């Protein structure tokens, strides 16, 4: 097999003063941060679909790039060429993980048998490469949104036959995820939602999605899947309303249907902003519910109301993200999957590398900053102090659930009107954040 990205060298760390576009300025894989090498904190993953499949087409125009890698697209030769390209790419960037949908790795055939045979063939090849290059599968998933038959959803379809088709696809996607030793399996509810309630039985649809997920858990555990299942929340797009709207909604769903022991959340930055939340808000909701599983690392554009899937460059955001990851105790089975694509005019193979360098450096900076914030301690100390009135005897009894409303009403009568609760000092705290982030 000949080299595909011939003019791209192995990307090395050269430090913040380097002018070499093909070098990391901040990502230094082995550098120890809070007791662990950067690469273990970050566990970067390549998303097969954006990096190896998407060539820049959008609903207004054709592809601008070329991801044929020398083969006719849509063939098994092309599928194999993408494997070659993907492993060379990961190797050159020092990325240890990848993620895929079934449909990304092999072209769908007319029958399930033939599609599955192709998936067997290509995963044999991927497995060989994984061993050769020492790469791992972060998570696998099934594409349950592209085919016309999924127009009304998969688990939420009104058609029992479509539901069964989705089940067959999930079964195979689990088979190949386990075959490749994946540590996660994602459900992104692509079209699990609705356009109008005037043709939709919401309860029926949600119950059916849960049934499909239960079957996936039962089957996955039966064939030896020990990793985490994930829901990846998204508020809208492609549907007007999606059932897994945000992290809180998804956790409510998982608990309601008894799926919370097997599932965690895969939080995507751009999906958070589509739901009207910050990325950090979504991470925090997952973390305080012990359900922070994995992250789709990208960035949206606040001026645009859709999923632009940009490579992350906003260091304030990556800092907030890594702060929440560190304080949650890290990502165990999860990682940072670049569910991101280069902008349409950045169409060359070189741009693929430059985009990952941007994303990896942005998260490395985020990690460095987050560790600095924690080590500095001023922000955390402020928060501790802010709630310290609950350290009193009375405060503790409230927290322990050992007081009544009557008792507290009596206390108030005795104490009179409370003093103001103390300044939030937001501007001061943000200036500390600036000081710590800009330190360099
Ligand atoms: C779509 C999206 C998906 C999931 C996997 O917005 O994020 O690529 O990550 O299906
Ligand atoms: Co995603």
């Amino acid at each position: 097999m000949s080299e595909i990205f011939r003019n791209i060298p192995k990307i090395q760390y050269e430090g913040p003063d380097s002018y070499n576009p093909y070098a990391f300025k901040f990502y230094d894989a082995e550098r120890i941060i809070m007791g662990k090498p950067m690469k273990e904190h970050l566990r970067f993953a390549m998303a097969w679909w954006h990096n190896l499949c998407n060539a820049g087409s959008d609903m207004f125009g054709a592809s601008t790039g070329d991801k044929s890698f020398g083969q006719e697209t849509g063939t098994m030769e092309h599928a194999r060429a993408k494997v070659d390209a993907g492993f060379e790419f990961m190797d050159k960037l020092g990325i240890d993980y990848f993620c895929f949908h079934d449909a990304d790795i092999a072209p769908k055939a007319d029958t399930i048998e033939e599609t599955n045979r192709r998936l067997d063939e290509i995963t044999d090849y991927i497995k060989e490469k994984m061993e050769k290059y020492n790469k791992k599968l972060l998570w696998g998933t099934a594409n349950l949104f592209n085919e016309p038959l999924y127009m009304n959803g998969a688990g939420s379809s009104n058609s029992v036959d479509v539901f069964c088709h989705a089940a067959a696809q999930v079964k195979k996607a689990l088979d190949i995820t386990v075959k490749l030793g994946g540590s996660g399996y994602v459900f992104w509810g692509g079209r699990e939602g609705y356009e109008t309630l005037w043709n939709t039985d919401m309860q029926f649809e949600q119950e059916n999605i849960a049934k499909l997920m239960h079957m996936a858990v039962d089957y996955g555990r039966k064939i030896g899947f020990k990793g985490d299942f994930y829901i990846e929340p998204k508020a809208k797009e492609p549907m007007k309303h999606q059932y897994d709207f945000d992290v809180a909604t998804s956790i409510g769903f998982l608990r309601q249907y008894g799926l919370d022991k097997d599932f965690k959340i895969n939080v995507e930055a751009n999906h958070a902003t589509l739901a009207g939340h910050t990325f950090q808000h979504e991470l925090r909701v997952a973390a305080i519910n012990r359900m922070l599983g994995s992250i789709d690392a990208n960035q949206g554009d606040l001026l645009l109301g859709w999923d632009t899937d940009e490579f992350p460059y906003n260091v304030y955001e990556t800092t907030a993200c890594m702060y929440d990851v560190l304080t949650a105790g890290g990502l165990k089975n999860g990682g940072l999957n670049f569910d991101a694509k280069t902008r349409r005019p950045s169409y060359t193979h070189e741009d693929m590398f430059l985009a990952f360098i941007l994303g990896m450096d942005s998260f490395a900076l985020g990690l460095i900053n987050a560790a600095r914030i924690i080590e500095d301690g001023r922000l955390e100390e402020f928060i501790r102090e802010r709630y310290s009135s609950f350290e009193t005897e009375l405060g503790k009894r409230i927290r322990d659930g050992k007081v009544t409303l009557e008792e507290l009403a009596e206390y108030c009568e005795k104490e009179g009107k409370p003093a103001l609760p103390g300044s939030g000092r937001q501007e001061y705290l943000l200036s500390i954040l600036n000081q710590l982030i800009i330190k360099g």
Side-chain angles (χ1 to χ4, degrees):
M1 186 213 81
S2 58
E3 204 177 347
I4 293 173
F5 305 107
R6 250 174 253 125
N7 45 3
I8 309 284
K10 268 211 174 198
I11 312 298
Q12 313 280 1
Y13 171 72
E14 289 187 5
D17 296 328
S18 168
Y19 274 37
N20 176 2
Y22 296 102
F24 295 119
K25 319 298 180 297
F26 303 100
Y27 180 60
D28 184 4
E30 303 299 337
R31 176 173 164 191
I32 303 292
I33 304 276
M34 295 183 79
K36 242 176 29 181
M38 269 191 172
K39 66 173 186 197
E40 283 176 31
H41 283 287
L42 298 165
R43 291 162 61 93
F44 288 128
M46 174 193 76
W48 211 270
W49 54 102
H50 283 311
N51 202 45
L52 303 173
C53 308
N54 184 303
S57 62
D58 66 15
M59 59 236 242
F60 301 100
S63 297
T64 50
D66 179 5
K67 301 260 172 98
S68 65
F69 306 116
Q71 300 292 341
E72 190 188 332
T73 56
T75 62
M76 281 303 278
E77 288 70 33
H78 180 228
R80 291 174 82 87
K82 286 196 287 187
V83 178
D84 295 338
F87 281 87
E88 186 187 320
F89 185 85
M90 287 187 273
D91 187 49
K92 287 191 164 163
L93 276 161
I95 290 179
D96 292 333
Y97 300 86
F98 61 98
C99 300
F100 66 79
H101 303 83
D102 49 1
D104 306 332
I105 57 172
K108 257 201 151 180
D110 287 339
T111 64
I112 289 186
E113 294 74 27
E114 175 57 12
T115 300
N116 289 353
R117 196 203 58 72
R118 291 178 184 180
L119 288 170
D120 289 338
E121 183 188 320
I122 204 72
T123 48
D124 283 345
Y125 191 47
I126 291 177
K127 200 164 179 215
E128 238 175 70
K129 292 274 186 172
M130 287 170 75
E131 278 152 25
K132 177 168 169 213
Y133 286 97
N134 194 22
K135 302 294 169 204
K136 294 179 226 64
L137 174 61
L138 190 68
W139 51 258
T141 186
N143 181 325
L144 302 177
F145 44 90
N146 192 52
E147 280 194 90
L149 55 86
Y150 292 129
M151 65 174 75
N152 296 333
S156 66
S157 179
N158 56 306
S159 156
V160 70
D161 287 345
V162 171
F163 184 96
C164 294
H165 193 273
Q169 228 185 294
V170 169
K171 176 176 178 289
K172 189 64 186 176
L174 277 164
D175 285 335
I176 57 179
T177 297
V178 170
K179 173 175 171 182
L180 299 179
S183 52
Y185 184 88
V186 163
F187 280 89
W188 168 57
R191 293 187 194 271
E192 314 288 34
Y194 65 84
E195 291 298 322
T196 172
L197 282 177
W198 295 111
N199 68 8
T200 301
D201 186 334
M202 188 195 277
Q203 186 177 350
F204 185 97
E205 294 197 356
Q206 294 206 6
E207 284 170 4
N208 271 5
I209 295 170
K211 289 272 165 13
L212 183 62
M213 288 179 175
H214 268 293
M215 286 188 260
V217 169
D218 291 346
Y219 181 71
R221 298 304 181 213
K222 194 163 91 187
I223 62 168
F225 178 60
K226 301 214 167 45
D228 293 319
F229 288 88
Y230 303 118
I231 280 190
E232 181 182 322
K234 186 174 181 181
K236 54 191 166 191
E237 197 207 14
M239 301 308 265
K240 178 175 118 175
H241 181 95
Q242 298 200 181
Y243 294 135
D244 47 15
F245 188 91
D246 61 1
V247 174
T249 310
S250 302
I251 291 175
F253 171 88
L254 292 172
R255 289 199 178 132
Q256 183 179 354
Y257 294 106
L259 289 156
D260 50 314
K261 299 283 170 295
D262 292 280
F263 273 77
K264 291 195 165 82
I265 304 290
N266 182 37
V267 180
E268 176 164 325
N270 203 163
H271 295 182
T273 45
L274 286 182
H277 300 307
T278 62
F279 184 21
Q280 193 181 18
H281 170 94
E282 290 293 77
L283 293 162
R284 186 69 59 88
V285 175
I288 64 176
N289 285 284
R290 309 275 175 274
M291 283 208 190
L292 178 54
S294 199
I295 290 174
D296 271 11
N298 61 14
Q299 185 182 316
D301 185 321
L302 291 180
L303 300 183
L304 302 175
W306 63 90
D307 199 16
T308 57
D309 283 339
E310 295 176 38
F311 275 86
Y313 61 84
N314 184 329
V315 175
Y316 276 87
E317 291 291 315
T318 60
T319 299
C321 170
M322 291 316 298
Y323 176 80
D324 268 63
V325 168
L326 288 177
T327 51
L331 300 169
K332 303 217 162 50
N333 286 330
L336 295 175
N337 168 45
F338 286 111
D339 191 353
K341 58 190 179 208
T342 58
R343 298 305 84 195
R344 192 163 180 262
S346 303
Y347 59 89
T348 69
H349 286 176
E350 288 80 5
D351 289 303
M352 293 162 64
F353 286 86
L354 297 170
F356 270 75
I357 292 169
L358 169 69
M360 291 165 79
D361 268 343
S362 299
F363 268 95
L365 264 175
L367 173 64
I368 295 166
N369 290 333
R372 190 180 287 146
I373 291 166
I374 292 170
E375 276 153 13
D376 176 86
R378 276 177 290 170
L379 296 180
E380 282 173 352
E381 180 50 33
F382 182 86
I383 293 176
R384 250 192 312 277
E385 181 56 33
R386 188 158 183 251
Y387 296 92
S388 60
S389 66
F390 278 86
E391 293 305 321
T392 58
E393 185 57 32
L394 176 64
K396 281 195 183 129
R397 283 177 50 234
I398 292 174
R399 306 260 298 149
D400 292 342
K402 293 203 171 120
V403 287
T404 61
L405 274 187
E406 296 93 304
E407 213 180 321
L408 297 188
E410 212 174 286
Y411 171 84
C412 280
E413 269 176 37
K414 210 161 68 208
E415 294 295 316
K417 196 173 174 195
L420 290 176
S423 168
R425 292 270 188 271
Q426 186 166 330
E427 296 74 12
Y428 167 62
L429 297 170
L430 292 175
S431 76
I432 293 180
L433 197 63
N434 264 353
Q435 182 191 28
L436 294 171
I437 288 181
I438 309 300
K439 209 167 185 173

